[in-house]
Amino acid sequence: MGYLVGVKETGEILGWDRRKVSTYHLRGVLPKPISNLSSGPIWFRKQIEYYKISKDSGLTTYYTDGETVYECKNNFPMKETNFSPEEIKESPGNYILYQEKDIKQLITVILEKNPIAQFLSFESISFLHDLGILDTDVFHNYVNNFNNSFENIGPNEEGRNKE
């Protein structure tokens, strides 16, 4: 299984036909592709797998920027809510809350090519990107600088035959 997928493979993962994948992509419902080729959009397999999981879970994601709380949905602009950060924290329910200070630290780690960034989960970075919390430039910076984790998938044979 490759780590890149097109429309056909995305349909197989989601249980959709190619037309539905294309339609949802054009409507901006699917995660942002890493590239658009003449053959169509290309995603990381993990982006589509995580999209499927998050879509099925009914999880709501919020982002606080000071005293403003935004609701974040996959590939939609953040929408300001009437909630205060305290109201969100006290409310029961199935949600994730990201705070501005934490996201700023994450962006700094990625942009400064801090070695700790290699241990960040691709799924988390992709999720934040698809919600609009992380800019596309930061996401691509992460992928480009820590791409070796995607290229070297598979067993390493070096040194196995030595006694």
Side-chain angles (χ1 to χ4, degrees), residues 37-93:
L37 305 176
S38 59
S39 60
I42 302 296
W43 295 274
F44 286 115
R45 176 176 295 281
K46 294 280 188 182
Q47 280 180 285
I48 301 303
E49 291 171 346
Y50 196 77
Y51 167 78
K52 180 179 181 178
I53 292 167
S54 64
K55 180 178 76 72
D56 295 342
S57 73
L59 187 68
T60 303
T61 304
Y62 297 103
Y63 173 72
T64 62
D65 179 3
E67 290 300 311
T68 307
V69 177
Y70 299 92
E71 183 178 353
C72 305
K73 291 189 177 179
N74 194 29
N75 287 322
F76 286 94
M78 286 191 272
K79 183 173 89 175
E80 190 172 333
T81 69
N82 294 325
F83 301 119
S84 71
E86 292 76 28
E87 289 173 321
I88 293 293
K89 290 176 186 174
E90 293 173 2
S91 70

